[in-house]
Each structure stands twice: as structure tokens, then as C-alpha cells.
């Protein structure tokens, strides 16, 4: 079973369902992850994405008050989790691969691992700056932008590796998705320049786009129209997140550079408990999902952020 996401979309008769999960925090058991996936399996997801989390720097207090800067990865395991899920559920898994944290050589090696595991789908991303840095800094000999990563994967799909003297240059068979931003990427000068760079990723060989979460479908529809006007003709998959906790009200706009429409923020303003937020957020996301499905989007892709209850409530009414 080595189907690609794009094949799944092309062969589908209607809107597909997919979701994204996070690797558990280091030390946690994979069973907890499965217990979040299990309730969603009855709705026949077409693929599951697994995020990638690069290193962060923390300061540890040492003797005589010295602080030691330590690099740690709190959520390792993206590739292993993809392989485990693929084996357990027989489903397409899509590891996220970032430029950040990888040299070109390390990227090549990661892609070779994935290929050996029969995982031939990736979402190619630049990655965010690490928390202690104001802007994104690539690794030495790493890619500055996601397009560099897309290019490298496409080279390997042509049998071209970094080491020119290699004897066996078998072609990989990766299907690559990339990220798109209905409300513009936070660092982009303008929507126009962001779309220009998005088109470059598609022209380089990416097969489809998954969007950042949004809470106003109109923004998604306008984004799709702008993409089409620019000549971006690939499937565009909307990314959806049900708001489920009080802390999301500040965290989501700040972290993902997205806004809540007035109607939603008016409702959220009166909430004082997580349960109240969860009810409103779930109902809002259901309404978004119904409208998007009616508009015949290729797939509804949900960000679970480790919690599947609300997503289950939504997809049970849709799929
Ligand atoms: P790029 O496409 O490289 O764009 C980054 C910025 O640079 C944009 O402003 C773009 O307009 C600009 N740009 C692009 N190319 C050029 C160029 N040639 N010259 C000048 N400017 C250029 N992050 C993680 O760390 N791990 C994850 O698992 C993860 N999963 C994600 C999944 C989805 C669906 C989305 C939408 C985002 C995800 N992110 C993840 C966050 C993502 O890494 C960040 O949003 C990051 O800041 C940008 O990534 P990108 O791939 O869109 O970058």
C-alpha cells in the first residue's frame, strides 16, 4: 500500500477526510497516540499527517549559578510514528519534513529512511524560527525556503542524489504537499508575494496545498480564487481547527497569524469555561466543514492538536 495523497484525491468521488497529529512529548507512550486515532478511524480517513518538531534551546541552572544552554527535542519520533501508524492501520501517513534542523545531507538521509519504510508522501515545510531566534535561520548547508526542499525531493525522484559518485541511483517516488496561507504567511510582504512563492513551490513539483487553519470560509474561497488566477491549479485542501479551550482564544491568533471573524469572537468573548469554548468552537467548525464540503473541496483536513473528541463530533455529522 504505497498510494499517494494525490492519487487518493484523484480517485475520490467526494470530499475526503484527513487529520494531523503531533508526536507525543518525549517519554510518553505511543498507546496514548493510538487512543486519539482510534475514535476517528470509523470515518475512514484517507491519510494522517504527523508534524515535525525541531530542537529548542533551554537554559539549565548549573553549579555556582551558571546557566547552560541545552538543545532538546521535546517531540521526536515523526518518522517512527508514521511507520507505526501505517503498519497498524494500513493508512497513508504523511510525515512533515522541515528545512529547519536539517542540512541537505540530513534531508537526503531522512528521505532515504522514508523511502525504505514505504512512506512516499511528505509535507515539505520551511519550519518556524526556533523560539529563541527572531527569524528563521537555516542549518549550515540547509534550505532557506520550503521550495529548496521541494526541489531536493524532486531531484531524488529523478534519481539525482547529492553524492554524484553513487553507484545505485534509484529514483524515489515522493508525492509532496506544501503549505498555503489564506490569510497570508506572517512574514510575507504581501499576499501577492506570498502567492508568487506558493506558485514557485507548485511549479517545482509539489502536487497539492494544505492550508493554514482559518475561521472564515470566505477567506479560503478568496484564496482559492487568487491561486487559480495565478495559475495554481492543484488541489487545495482546507485545514480546520475546532477551538476547544479558553487558552486557544489568545494562542491561536498569536501562534498561527490567523483571525477570528467578529461573529465568532463575539460568541467567544462571553465564555468563562473550556466547555463553553468547546461547544462554540465545535459548532463553528462543523458549520465551516458543511459549507466547505458543499463547495466540493477535495478534502477536509483537521488539526487535532492531540485531542480528537471535537473532530469526532464534527466528522460524525459529515462523513
Ligand atoms: P515557505 O514556503 O518557505 O515560506 C516562508 C516565507 O518565506 C513566506 O512568507 C514566503 O512568502 C516567503 N518565501 C518563500 N519563498 C521565498 C523566496 N524564494 N524568496 C523570498 N521569500 C520567500 N512547522 C513545523 O515546524 N513543523 C510542522 O510539522 C509544521 N506543519 C505545518 C503544516 C501546515 C499545513 C502549515 C500551514 C504549517 C505548518 N508548519 C509546521 C508551520 C510552517 O513551518 C511555518 O508556517 C513556516 O513559517 C513557513 O513554512 P512554509 O513551508 O510555508 O515556508
Amino acid at each position: 500500500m504505497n498510494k499517494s495523497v494525490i492519487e487518493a484525491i484523484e480517485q475520490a468521488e467526494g470530499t475526503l477526510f484527513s487529520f494531523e497529529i503531533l508526536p507525543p512529548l518525549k517519554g510518553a507512550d505511543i498507546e496514548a497516540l493510538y487512543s486519539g486515532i482510534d475514535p476517528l478511524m470509523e470515518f475512514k480517513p484517507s491519510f494522517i499527517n504527523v508534524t515535525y518538531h525541531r530542537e529548542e534551546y533551554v537554559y539549565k541552572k548549573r553549579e555556582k549559578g551558571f546557566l547552560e544552554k541545552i538543545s532538546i527535542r521535546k517531540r521526536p519520533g515523526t518518522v517512527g510514528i508514521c511507520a507505526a501508524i501505517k503498519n497498524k492501520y494500513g493508512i497513508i501517513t504523511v510525515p512533515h519534513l522541515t528545512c529547519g534542523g536539517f542540512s541537505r545531507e540530513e534531508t537526503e538521509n531522512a528521505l532515504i529512511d522514508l523511502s525504505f519504510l514505504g512512506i512516499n508522501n511528505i509535507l515539505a515545510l520551511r519550519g518556524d524560527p526556533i523560539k529563541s531566534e527572531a527569524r528563521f535561520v537555516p542549518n549550515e548547508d540547509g534550505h532557506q525556503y520550503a521550495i529548496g526542499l521541494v526541489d531536493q525531493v524532486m531531484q531524488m525522484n529523478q534519481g539525482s542524489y547529492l553524492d554524484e559518485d553513487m553507484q545505485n541511483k534509484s529514483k524515489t517516488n515522493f508525492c509532496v504537499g506544501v503549505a498555503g496561507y489564506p490569510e497570508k504567511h506572517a512574514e510575507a510582504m504581501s499576499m501577492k508575494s506570498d502567492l508568487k512563492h506558493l506558485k514557485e513551490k507548485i511549479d517545482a513539483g509539489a502536487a497539492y496545498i494544505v492550508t493554514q487553519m482559518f475561521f472564515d470560509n470566505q477567506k479560503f474561497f478568496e484564496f482559492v480564487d487568487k491561486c487559480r488566477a495565478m495559475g495554481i491549479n492543484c488541489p487545495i485542501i482546507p485545514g480546520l481547527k475546532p477551538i476547544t479551550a479558553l487558552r486557544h482564544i489568545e494562542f491561536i491568533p498569536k501562534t498561527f497569524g490567523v483571525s477570528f471573524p467578529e461573529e465568532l469572537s463575539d460568541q467567544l468573548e462571553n465564555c468563562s469555561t473550556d466547555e463553553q469554548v468547546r461547544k462554540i468552537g465545535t459548532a463553528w467548525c462543523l458549520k465551516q466543514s458543511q459549507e466547505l464540503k458543499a463547495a466540493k473541496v477535495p478534502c477536509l483536513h483537521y488539526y487535532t492538536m492531540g485531542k480528537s473528541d471535537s473532530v469526532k463530533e464534527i466528522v460524525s455529522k459529515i462523513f
Side-chain angles (χ1 to χ4, degrees):
M1 202 267 327
N2 275 332
K3 207 166 161 179
S4 68
V5 168
I6 200 70
E7 282 166 346
I9 291 172
E10 283 168 1
Q11 290 163 12
E13 291 187 355
T15 299
L16 301 175
F17 157 51
S18 63
F19 61 94
E20 176 192 288
I21 57 167
L22 274 62
L25 285 166
K26 187 145 63 178
D29 201 282
I30 196 160
E31 291 303 324
L33 196 75
Y34 294 149
S35 66
I37 296 173
D38 287 339
L40 298 177
M41 290 311 289
E42 65 176 286
F43 307 105
K44 303 202 171 17
S46 295
F47 54 95
I48 300 177
N49 281 47
V50 183
T51 55
Y52 182 86
H53 301 258
R54 65 177 299 188
E55 76 280 12
E56 326 177 358
Y57 291 108
V58 293
Y59 289 89
K60 295 272 177 203
K61 260 201 176 142
R62 298 297 185 218
E63 275 176 37
K64 295 181 186 162
F66 283 118
L67 290 176
E68 188 185 357
K69 189 179 176 188
I70 294 179
S71 158
I72 52 164
R73 285 189 59 207
K74 294 187 176 168
R75 294 181 186 272
T78 302
V79 172
I81 289 168
C82 282
I85 295 173
K86 180 173 177 281
N87 289 336
K88 183 173 161 75
Y89 300 100
I91 187 171
I92 301 172
T93 50
V94 186
H96 293 187
L97 199 58
T98 61
C99 304
F102 289 83
S103 66
R104 283 169 167 76
E105 172 78 14
E106 286 160 345
T107 298
E108 183 166 285
N109 294 341
L111 289 164
I112 290 170
D113 279 346
L114 289 170
S115 199
F116 284 152
L117 287 164
I119 296 170
N120 61 337
N121 290 278
I122 64 153
L123 193 70
L125 301 146
R126 187 197 70 178
D128 279 322
I130 43 181
K131 282 183 186 143
S132 48
E133 288 175 344
R135 59 184 187 86
F136 177 80
V137 181
N139 278 34
E140 202 180 329
D141 193 37
H143 298 293
Q144 174 75 51
Y145 297 110
I147 187 175
L149 181 52
V150 176
D151 272 335
Q152 186 173 2
V153 182
M154 292 304 141
Q155 290 286 324
M156 287 177 69
N157 279 356
Q158 294 300 315
S160 174
Y161 290 72
L162 295 173
D163 179 356
E164 292 163 6
D165 300 328
M166 266 169 56
Q167 297 282 312
N168 300 308
K169 294 187 173 183
S170 55
K171 294 180 181 178
T172 54
N173 185 27
F174 286 104
C175 168
V176 179
V178 289
Y181 301 82
E183 296 186 57
K184 183 183 91 55
H185 182 256
E187 294 164 31
M189 275 190 302
S190 65
M191 189 59 152
K192 192 175 166 200
S193 80
D194 207 21
L195 287 173
K196 184 181 131 219
H197 297 308
L198 178 57
K199 184 169 186 314
E200 285 163 0
K201 295 191 278 191
I202 302 302
D203 290 346
Y208 64 97
I209 295 164
V210 183
T211 76
Q212 181 59 281
M213 63 185 74
F214 57 89
F215 297 88
D216 178 352
N217 283 352
Q218 203 46 42
K219 292 199 166 135
F220 174 80
F221 295 133
E222 284 166 13
F223 173 73
V224 174
D225 287 347
K226 284 181 193 152
C227 285
R228 300 304 181 226
M230 299 268 298
I232 300 173
N233 297 315
C234 65
I236 303 179
I237 299 175
L240 294 163
K241 165 82 190 117
I243 307 162
T244 54
L246 273 169
R247 66 182 183 86
H248 287 165
I249 296 175
E250 272 188 22
F251 173 80
I252 286 181
K254 194 170 147 198
T255 311
F256 302 106
V258 297
S259 54
F260 296 149
E262 249 174 52
E263 193 188 333
L264 175 61
S265 64
D266 285 348
Q267 291 179 42
L268 292 171
E269 223 159 38
N270 300 320
C271 294
S272 55
T273 65
D274 282 346
E275 189 44 32
Q276 286 170 339
V277 173
R278 202 188 78 79
K279 269 201 182 132
I280 291 168
T282 306
W284 187 270
C285 189
L286 172 63
K287 205 170 75 174
Q288 277 193 281
S289 306
Q290 285 164 330
E291 191 185 12
L292 289 162
K293 187 162 183 266
K296 299 190 170 33
V297 296
C299 182
L300 294 172
H301 184 71
Y302 293 90
Y303 298 110
T304 66
M305 286 187 188
K307 296 248 183 316
S308 53
D309 308 13
S310 290
V311 174
K312 179 175 178 181
E313 206 176 312
I314 294 161
V315 294
S316 68
K317 293 182 176 126
I318 295 211
F319 292 99

